[in-house]
Amino acid sequence: IDYALRKVTAGTTAKIDDTVVTLLRKILRVFLLIMFVLYVLQNVFDQQITAWLAGLGIAGLAVSLAAQDSIKNLFGSLTVLISRPFGLGDRIVFGTYDGTVESINFRDTKIRTIGGHLVTVPNMKFTDQTVENIAARPYVARTINLGLTYDTPPDKIEQAISIIKGILAEPKCAESINLPDRPPRVYFTDFTAHSLNIMVNYHYSIKAPGCDWWTYQDHAQAINLKILRSLNDAGIDFAFQTQTVYLAGDPKRDLSVRLLEDASGQQRPPT
């Protein structure tokens, strides 16, 4: 049976199928062991197994009462198999743990965290807590907020938007982010305390052939460098938190100072 199941699931790509086969293999081994013991007792030692079965039933009731947590974990395993929130090899976020699922057993699930630690989580925990399956996402959403200086005139802002749209439309950039229902967006969105903000939003298709988290990072880095070089070449400056002090006599920023007259007609400094 185990061989037949493995042969059937070998032609599928669903990771949950491998999980089911692993659990069924363990169940079959336990079942065969129990049947073998009963067969030996009845045919070799000439024992009546009816009494043994009755005793096993009473013992099973006692064990089930004493092992409620184990039974909860077993039902947790069935919940994982039926609802399929994740499978072997999936990267998930559960509570404070972020890692890859290495095994799903009767009692627990083992997660290899990004830091390399192996975490064992009782299966009953998955029935009442949220599991985030990162491997199941079809795309990665990215939003960039570019802050330009307040000295930037409107035509330069329009030029910056046009430059960024052109970068996102380039063939090498667009092939992974030009989704039919989620096209790239570029807008002048906000006046903040320190900058004029341009928002760039796009979705990187992580399910496309040859695409994964690291190709997404390469793609994001390429876009960042193109935007940085293009805006620098256009003379468009990025903003950062600063204070500007305006001084009289600055040829770029005129500051007019008006002297006040007192009652006697004498000029005095402004207050």
Side-chain angles (χ1 to χ4, degrees):
I1 294 175
D2 176 46
Y3 173 78
L5 289 174
R6 281 186 292 159
K7 188 175 181 180
V8 170
T9 57
T12 64
T13 59
K15 297 177 181 178
I16 194 66
D17 293 340
D18 299 330
T19 305
V20 173
V21 171
T22 302
L23 288 177
L24 287 178
R25 182 186 301 122
K26 294 179 180 179
I27 293 174
L28 288 172
R29 287 177 178 175
V30 174
F31 175 75
L32 288 175
L33 177 62
I34 295 175
M35 293 299 295
F36 174 76
V37 171
L38 293 176
Y39 179 83
V40 170
L41 288 174
Q42 183 175 17
N43 294 277
V44 177
F45 296 100
D46 197 22
Q47 297 290 327
Q48 293 295 327
I49 64 171
T50 304
W52 287 84
L53 292 176
L56 287 174
I58 298 174
L61 178 61
V63 170
S64 63
L65 293 175
Q68 295 184 28
D69 290 341
S70 298
I71 296 175
K72 290 180 181 178
N73 288 324
L74 177 59
F75 279 103
S77 302
L78 296 176
T79 301
V80 170
L81 293 176
I82 294 173
S83 62
R84 299 189 177 187
F86 54 82
L88 290 176
D90 287 350
R91 180 186 169 191
I92 66 172
V93 175
F94 179 72
T96 59
Y97 304 117
D98 183 350
T100 303
V101 178
E102 286 199 350
S103 67
I104 303 175
N105 304 311
F106 288 117
R107 179 189 174 277
D108 52 53
T109 295
K110 290 181 171 55
I111 302 172
R112 180 73 63 178
T113 65
I114 294 178
H117 304 288
L118 185 64
V119 178
T120 301
V121 181
N123 288 330
M124 64 180 178
K125 298 291 185 181
F126 295 113
T127 60
D128 56 359
Q129 295 189 34
T130 302
V131 180
E132 182 180 355
N133 192 336
I134 297 178
R137 59 184 174 182
Y139 51 79
V140 180
R142 187 184 187 210
T143 299
I144 313 170
N145 286 301
L146 300 175
L148 307 182
T149 61
Y150 265 94
D151 292 342
T152 308
D155 58 335
K156 283 290 186 180
I157 293 179
E158 292 177 346
Q159 182 183 0
I161 294 174
S162 178
I163 289 173
I164 296 171
K165 286 183 177 180
I167 292 173
L168 297 179
E170 293 179 2
K172 289 185 178 180
C173 293
E175 61 183 359
S176 299
I177 64 175
N178 193 19
L179 304 181
D181 56 338
R182 289 178 172 82
R185 310 278 186 180
V186 183
Y187 292 105
F188 172 37
T189 56
D190 204 0
F191 298 86
T192 70
H194 305 282
S195 64
L196 305 173
N197 272 18
I198 294 179
M199 182 200 70
V200 183
N201 177 266
Y202 64 84
H203 297 75
Y204 180 85
S205 177
I206 208 166
K207 289 296 185 181
C211 295
D212 57 18
W213 173 254
W214 299 114
T215 59
Y216 160 73
Q217 295 290 351
D218 292 335
H219 184 272
Q221 176 178 266
I223 287 182
N224 290 345
L225 292 174
K226 286 178 179 291
I227 291 176
L228 181 60
R229 289 193 179 102
S230 299
L231 295 188
N232 284 341
D233 293 341
I236 301 173
D237 297 327
F238 293 97
F240 51 91
Q241 293 188 9
T242 59
Q243 286 185 338
T244 302
V245 180
Y246 295 94
L247 301 176
D250 188 345
K252 293 184 178 180
R253 298 178 179 86
D254 293 332
L255 178 65
S256 60
V257 179
R258 182 171 59 87
L259 298 178
L260 303 178
E261 293 183 357
D262 57 16
S264 63
Q266 298 293 327
Q267 291 184 340
R268 58 184 178 83
T271 57

